[in-house]
Amino acid sequence: MTHQPLVKIYLYSKFERFWHWVQSALIILLLVTGFEVHGSFAWLGFMAAVDLHNTIGLTWLILFVFIVFWLFVTGEYKQYIPTTRKLLEVVRYYASGIFRGEPHPVRKSRVAKHNPMQRLTYLGLTAVLLPVQMATGLLYWSYNDWPAWGLDGFLSLKVLALVHLIGGFAILIFLIVHVYMTTTGHTVTAHIAAMFSGWEEVPEGEEVEDWERMSERR
Amino acid sequence: MDCLVCHEQTGTYRKFPSGAGYPAPYVEDPANPGTQKGVPFPGESKSYFAPDWSRVAQSVARPSRMNCGTCHFYGGGGDAVKHGDLDSTMGRPPKTLDVHMGTRESGGQDFTCVRCHTTHSHHIAGRIYETPAAAERKSLLQDDLGDKILCESCHGTEPHQSGGMSDKINDHTDTVSCQACHIPEFARAQSTKMWWDWSKAGQLMDGKEVVMGPDGKSVFDRKKGEFRWEKNVVPEYYWFDGTLDHVTVADPIDPTAEVWLNRPQGSADDPNSRIMPFKVHRAMAPYDKVNKVMVIPHLFPFNKDDDTAYWKGYDWNRAIEVGMEKAGQPYSGEYGFVETTYVFPTTHMVAPKNEALPCEACHSRQSRLAGITEVYMPGRDTFAMVDAAGWVGVTGAMVAVIIHGLMRFVSGLRRKEE
C-alpha cells in the first residue's frame, strides 16, 4: 500500500448514498426472488417470491425515475461519459500493479469520481442493463394486458423471460465483482465506509487531469 | 329411464337385475303370507323385492343426490368404476370432499345435483358431448336454462377477491380451468378403477373366480379380467374446449399405439380452451385384428340358455360375433387386445379453498403440467444453455475474485517482510 498521506474529500452526496444502498437492497432482493421464480431454488414459495419481486421491481422503477432526474439536474451524468484514456492503465493496475503495491493510476476526486473502467461499467449498467431489466420486467408483469394493448401479436413471454434471465445473471456477476472491488481501497473497508459517510480518503496532492474533470457548472 | 328412479325418495326402489331393467316382481313368501319372498339374482348376494308402489309413488319430489347417484355413482358396473369424481361417497359428502355438495353439518353448502344441473322441461344442464362449452358459456344468473354449466356460470371469470396476488390468480382463468387447482386429487374418499385388463378375463386367478384387493374391491373377476384401483389420484391435464372426440365402433384405430377412445378437444391457441384435469382410465380391450376397429362383445346373456354371451360361455369370438352382429357391424373373426384410454373430465369433488393447489404444483421443475408444452411457464421452464452459462459465469466471477483477493493478501504479506 502507498505511504502517501491521505486527505478526505466529500465524494458521495446524501442522495447518492441513499440511492446506492436502497438500490443495493432492492437488487439483492430482486435477484433472490427472481431466481426463485425462475425455479432455481425454493425459499419463500412461488407466490410470495412473485409478489415480492413485483413489488420491489415497481419500487425500483420509482427510485430509478428519481435517480435519472437527479443525474440530469445536477449534471452528474457527465461522470458516466465513457473514455478509453487510461483505461489500459487501470486494467493493468488491477491485473498486476495492485499486487506490487503501486498507486492507483486514476485518483478519485469530486469532479471525477469514477475511473475509466468504472465509467464504462456504470454506464453499461445504468443506461443499458438496468433499463433492459426494467422494460422486460414491466412487460413480463403486464403479461395479461398484452391482448388489450395489442402486444400479444409480436411479444413472446418465452423470449422476454430469456432476456430478463440473462440480465439477471449479468447483474449477479456484476454484484459479485463490485462487492469484491470495494475491498481494494487503502484498507479493505475504506470504500464501503466512504459509501456510508460520503467521505473518501484519497492520496494527497495529486492533481486531477483536465480530461477527467467534468465540466463544472457555472 | 322411468320417472321413479329420478324422483322417488324412499330409497326402496331398486331395479332388477344389476340396477337396470324393471323392479323385481312381487313374489309372495308361502311361509309368511302377505310378505315378499324376494327374487335372487345369480352372481349377486342380495335378493330383489318389488317396491311398495303406493309408498314409492307418493314420495316423488325434486331429485336428491342419491336419485342421480343410483346410476351415476355406479357407472361401469360398480361403485366408483367410471368416474373418479362421482361415487357413492358423494351421496352425503363432507365439505372436505366437496365444498358445494358437502353437508351442512360439515360446513358445506348441501347442494343437490340439480342445484347446478338445472333443468327445464327435463332438459338437464351440464353434459359434455359435442357442443363446445365455452362458446355457449352462460351465466346461470342471466339464463337459468343454459345447456352448459361451468364453475364460471356462478363464480364468474374473476372468482378470487381482487388485489395483490389474487389478481394474478384471476389472470389465470382465461387458460386454466377452476377444476385444475381446486380439485387437487380425485377419488379422495374411496378408490376408483384406473386399469381394467379384459385380456385376463375367462381365466382364474389363484384358482379363484374373484380376488379381492386390500381395499375390499375386486382386483380380479373371471367375467371382467384384472383391475387396478387407486385412491387420491392426481389427474392428468389437457387443453379442453368442453368437447370430447369419440372413437366409435366404425372408426379405424391404430393398434400399434395406445388407442384414445375419447380425447379432449381444444388447444392452447383456442381462447375458449382451458387446461382441465381428467381421470384417464386405461384398459386392455378387445378389437378386430383384421378390420382394425374396436369391437362390441356380447357380455350379458339374453336368457338362461344363451351361452354366446361372454359371461356365460367365456368365448370371446362368439361373444364378439353376436355383439357386432347385433350392432350391425362387420367382424373378421380375429380378435386381439389393445391398450386403450378413456378420459373423464374431473369436475366434482371440489376441495375446500385451503386445499387448492399451491402455485408450485405447476410453477416448478416438478410441474403437474409437464405435458402442457405450448406455453412458457415461469418456474417450470428453463433455458438449459443459458442457465448453465449463467451459473458458470457466476461461479467464474466468484473464483476470480477469491483468487485475486488471495493474491493481494499474499503479495501484501511479502511486501511487509521486505
Side-chain angles (χ1 to χ4, degrees):
Chain A
M1 297 289 150
T2 53
H3 301 289
Q4 264 177 292
L6 295 168
V7 59
K8 276 192 166 187
I9 58 169
Y10 189 64
L11 213 51
Y12 310 112
S13 67
K14 267 184 194 155
F15 176 76
E16 281 170 287
R17 285 176 279 146
F18 167 78
W19 142 28
H20 176 271
W21 288 115
V22 172
Q23 182 163 268
S24 70
L26 296 181
I27 285 181
I28 289 167
L29 284 170
L30 281 171
L31 282 170
V32 171
T33 53
F35 277 104
E36 174 158 17
V37 171
H38 181 56
S40 302
F41 61 89
W43 178 46
L44 297 168
F46 188 85
M47 188 190 270
V50 171
D51 199 7
L52 197 57
H53 196 81
N54 290 349
T55 309
I56 298 170
L58 293 170
T59 308
W60 190 17
L61 208 65
I62 295 164
L63 177 65
F64 198 72
V65 171
F66 282 96
I67 295 169
V68 172
F69 178 75
W70 181 88
L71 280 173
F72 283 95
V73 165
T74 59
E76 286 287 307
Y77 71 91
K78 290 170 188 147
Q79 301 268 12
Y80 297 83
I81 293 171
T83 174
T84 53
R85 295 264 310 257
K86 282 209 176 178
L87 179 62
L88 280 179
E89 281 91 327
V90 173
V91 171
R92 201 174 297 126
Y93 167 75
Y94 285 113
S96 68
I98 192 169
F99 304 122
R100 288 196 291 271
E102 288 173 10
H104 198 287
V106 182
R107 188 192 156 225
K108 279 182 199 293
S109 74
R110 179 71 200 93
V111 288
K113 291 184 216 173
H114 304 143
N115 69 48
M117 206 159 83
Q118 284 176 307
R119 288 184 188 218
L120 281 177
T121 308
Y122 296 151
L123 181 69
L125 196 70
T126 314
V128 182
L129 189 52
L130 301 189
V132 164
Q133 285 307 80
M134 287 168 185
T136 52
L138 257 184
L139 286 169
Y140 204 137
W141 179 65
S142 60
Y143 171 67
N144 278 81
D145 296 315
W146 291 3
W149 297 349
L151 295 174
D152 54 327
F154 50 92
L155 269 186
S156 146
L157 187 64
K158 190 173 181 170
V159 173
L160 209 63
L162 176 65
V163 175
H164 203 66
L165 174 67
I166 293 171
F169 273 120
I171 291 176
L172 179 55
I173 290 169
F174 162 79
L175 181 69
I176 292 166
V177 177
H178 179 72
V179 169
Y180 170 73
M181 294 297 268
T182 64
T183 68
T184 59
H186 68 274
T187 69
V188 168
T189 55
H191 289 327
I192 292 177
M195 195 44 91
F196 277 110
S197 67
W199 292 89
E200 182 87 83
E201 288 178 308
V202 296
E204 197 178 27
E206 275 182 37
E207 266 311 300
V208 179
E209 294 174 36
D210 272 348
W211 63 269
E212 283 186 288
R213 208 178 278 277
M214 69 165 198
S215 53
E216 282 169 85
R217 278 172 299 153
R218 298 172 213 288
Chain B
M1 301 259 292
D2 62 70
C3 310
L4 289 171
V5 73
C6 298
H7 290 286
E8 79 89 23
Q9 299 302 323
T10 66
T12 61
Y13 183 78
R14 298 243 187 283
K15 298 213 201 189
F16 171 80
S18 293
Y22 291 106
Y26 186 91
V27 179
E28 191 164 271
D29 185 351
N32 300 297
T35 62
Q36 289 191 69
K37 189 165 170 268
V39 182
F41 180 69
E44 286 188 45
S45 49
K46 63 180 179 199
S47 288
Y48 285 80
F49 295 92
D52 180 344
W53 289 105
S54 58
R55 213 182 128 227
V56 162
Q58 284 167 11
S59 76
V60 295
R62 181 187 285 266
S64 70
R65 287 185 291 251
M66 285 318 295
N67 286 116
C68 308
T70 300
C71 295
H72 294 280
F73 294 164
Y74 300 93
D79 196 2
V81 170
K82 260 193 181 177
H83 300 281
D85 59 337
L86 282 178
D87 59 46
S88 64
T89 61
M90 292 290 276
R92 242 185 94 73
K95 184 189 177 185
T96 49
L97 186 58
D98 191 297
V99 289
H100 303 113
M101 296 172 75
T103 57
R104 288 273 177 216
E105 306 91 88
S106 65
Q109 298 294 317
D110 209 11
F111 279 20
T112 58
C113 307
V114 294
R115 180 66 184 81
C116 296
H117 297 271
T118 50
T119 61
H120 176 64
S121 305
H122 286 108
H123 288 287
I124 304 166
R127 314 168 182 195
I128 292 168
Y129 287 121
E130 295 296 334
T131 322
E136 294 192 3
R137 189 168 292 168
K138 290 177 179 177
S139 161
L140 286 184
L141 303 173
Q142 289 163 14
D143 180 358
D144 206 37
L145 317 177
D147 283 332
K148 292 288 177 177
I149 51 166
L150 291 149
C151 308
E152 285 95 323
S153 305
C154 293
H155 292 281
T157 53
E158 291 177 11
H160 309 94
Q161 63 185 98
S162 59
M165 292 310 286
S166 297
D167 280 343
K168 193 70 231 173
I169 300 174
N170 282 337
D171 283 345
H172 284 67
T173 59
D174 60 341
T175 45
V176 183
S177 66
C178 308
Q179 292 93 330
C181 302
H182 288 278
I183 310 176
E185 289 165 351
F186 58 81
R188 294 204 300 276
Q190 65 164 311
S191 56
T192 187
K193 193 174 281 186
M194 295 298 289
W195 169 253
W196 183 332
D197 186 351
W198 280 99
S199 73
K200 302 271 173 63
Q203 313 157 17
L204 298 178
M205 184 184 264
D206 310 326
K208 286 187 269 186
E209 293 218 350
V210 176
V211 179
M212 302 305 276
D215 53 0
K217 300 194 176 195
S218 57
V219 293
F220 176 81
D221 186 326
R222 187 184 175 200
K223 284 180 178 170
K224 298 177 179 179
E226 201 175 80
F227 313 129
R228 193 166 62 236
W229 300 82
E230 287 174 30
K231 208 179 158 186
N232 298 319
V233 189
V234 172
E236 293 183 24
Y237 300 86
Y238 299 100
W239 290 103
F240 187 49
D241 65 8
T243 68
L244 294 166
D245 188 31
H246 294 263
V247 170
T248 71
V249 74
D251 296 322
I253 59 158
D254 172 13
T256 59
E258 211 175 41
V259 176
W260 285 63
L261 294 177
N262 66 355
R263 197 186 281 275
Q265 299 296 291
S267 71
D269 306 326
D270 171 15
N272 287 330
S273 289
R274 304 286 182 275
I275 297 166
M276 180 82 179
F278 289 88
K279 167 186 169 176
V280 183
H281 178 274
R282 293 187 161 80
M284 292 295 285
Y287 78 106
D288 185 324
K289 277 177 108 166
V290 176
N291 296 335
K292 295 202 169 30
V293 289
M294 300 308 295
V295 294
I296 303 173
H298 167 46
L299 297 174
F300 201 97
F302 296 126
N303 54 52
K304 250 189 210 166
D305 308 314
D306 172 23
D307 60 1
T308 63
Y310 187 75
W311 286 346
K312 202 148 179 110
Y314 292 109
D315 182 341
W316 278 119
N317 240 334
R318 282 170 71 200
I320 295 168
E321 213 175 278
V322 173
M324 290 297 267
E325 198 192 317
K326 193 90 179 163
Q329 295 293 322
Y331 173 52
S332 72
E334 262 188 77
Y335 71 92
F337 288 89
V338 63
E339 188 168 343
T340 61
T341 61
Y342 197 94
V343 302
F344 299 90
T346 300
T347 192
H348 304 97
M349 293 192 183
V350 176
K353 61 182 172 187
N354 59 334
E355 284 169 37
L357 287 180
C359 307
E360 289 86 349
C362 301
H363 289 280
S364 66
R365 300 281 189 263
Q366 301 78 35
S367 176
R368 282 189 176 204
L369 299 185
I372 304 289
T373 51
E374 301 86 351
V375 287
Y376 177 82
M377 279 178 57
R380 180 193 71 169
D381 295 329
T382 181
F383 309 88
M385 293 290 284
V386 174
D387 265 321
W391 292 117
V392 165
V394 170
T395 314
M398 299 274 271
V399 170
V401 299
I402 288 169
I403 290 175
H404 197 270
L406 283 175
M407 282 170 69
R408 271 169 58 210
F409 182 67
V410 171
S411 62
L413 284 183
R414 267 195 209 137
R415 279 201 307 281
K416 250 182 205 163
E417 281 169 21
E418 285 160 15

